[in-house]
Amino acid sequence: MNADRGASTGQRELATVLRDLAWTIQRLVPEVTGLDPLTNTELAAIKHIQESPGITVTELARQLGMQQSNASAAVRDLVERDLVAREHNPTDRRVTRLVPTERSLAAKDSIDTVWSGTIRTALSRLDHDQVATLHTASGALRALDQALHAERPASRSDR
């Protein structure tokens, strides 16, 4: 029983560290790139739209675990900032798809460049063993991300 409790505590600690790390990175990157600050919700939405162009607001909300109204508000702000465009589905004009704009894609490259630079700078402050451990863990972290995405139940529109 103590082993189970220890594993549970370790998993909670890992989840907390990952959340804190993601929070810190999301807070740093928009400021460094010179973009007007994006909320965490907007950052999550724009990243997801860039990775899944053609997604609907309903799918976006479901896949990010957000309320539909929050996803809609984030998308509305991103459209107003010319980071996302709404396109009608050619086969069903009632369906609106979300796509990244050229401005968004240019910002993505900038964010990715600054993001990696920010991470590289922070890594340079760690000792060699810590950096090696993080590099070794990157595959497992990618697998964790994929497992989390797979956990989301499919919506009717995904079937």
Side-chain angles (χ1 to χ4, degrees):
M1 178 140 35
N2 285 342
D4 288 343
R5 193 174 321 188
S8 177
T9 300
Q11 290 171 351
R12 243 190 333 269
E13 185 176 319
L14 175 61
T16 299
V17 167
L18 291 173
R19 183 203 60 220
D20 291 348
L21 179 61
W23 185 269
T24 299
I25 292 169
Q26 287 181 343
R27 290 263 186 231
L28 287 175
V29 172
E31 293 173 15
V32 176
T33 62
L35 288 177
D36 290 335
L38 297 170
T39 66
N40 286 330
T41 301
E42 291 167 342
L43 277 171
I46 190 70
K47 181 178 183 299
H48 207 72
I49 293 165
Q50 289 171 337
E51 292 171 356
S52 304
I55 193 169
T56 66
V57 173
T58 300
E59 293 165 340
L60 178 70
R62 181 187 48 77
Q63 291 176 13
L64 293 178
M66 299 169 59
Q67 295 291 323
Q68 174 94 19
S69 59
N70 293 343
S72 293
V75 167
R76 185 174 43 255
D77 290 343
L78 292 170
V79 168
E80 287 174 7
R81 295 169 76 168
D82 191 34
L83 295 170
V84 170
R86 297 176 192 262
E87 293 182 351
H88 288 290
N89 185 333
T91 59
D92 185 349
R93 303 279 298 160
R94 297 170 296 173
V95 176
T96 301
R97 302 280 179 194
L98 305 173
V99 296
T101 62
E102 289 300 319
R103 181 170 187 244
S104 169
L105 295 174
K108 179 187 183 317
D109 290 341
S110 176
I111 288 170
D112 289 347
T113 298
V114 172
W115 189 307
S116 65
T118 301
I119 299 297
R120 268 195 316 275
T121 299
L123 287 172
S124 72
R125 295 183 189 120
L126 302 180
D127 68 42
H128 175 60
D129 290 342
Q130 290 171 321
V131 173
T133 300
L134 289 169
H135 282 290
T136 300
S138 65
L141 291 170
R142 187 173 292 111
L144 175 61
D145 184 49
Q146 291 169 349
L148 289 169
H149 284 291
E151 235 178 62
R152 296 183 185 119
S155 71
R156 284 185 221 128
S157 61
D158 291 342
R159 294 182 192 146

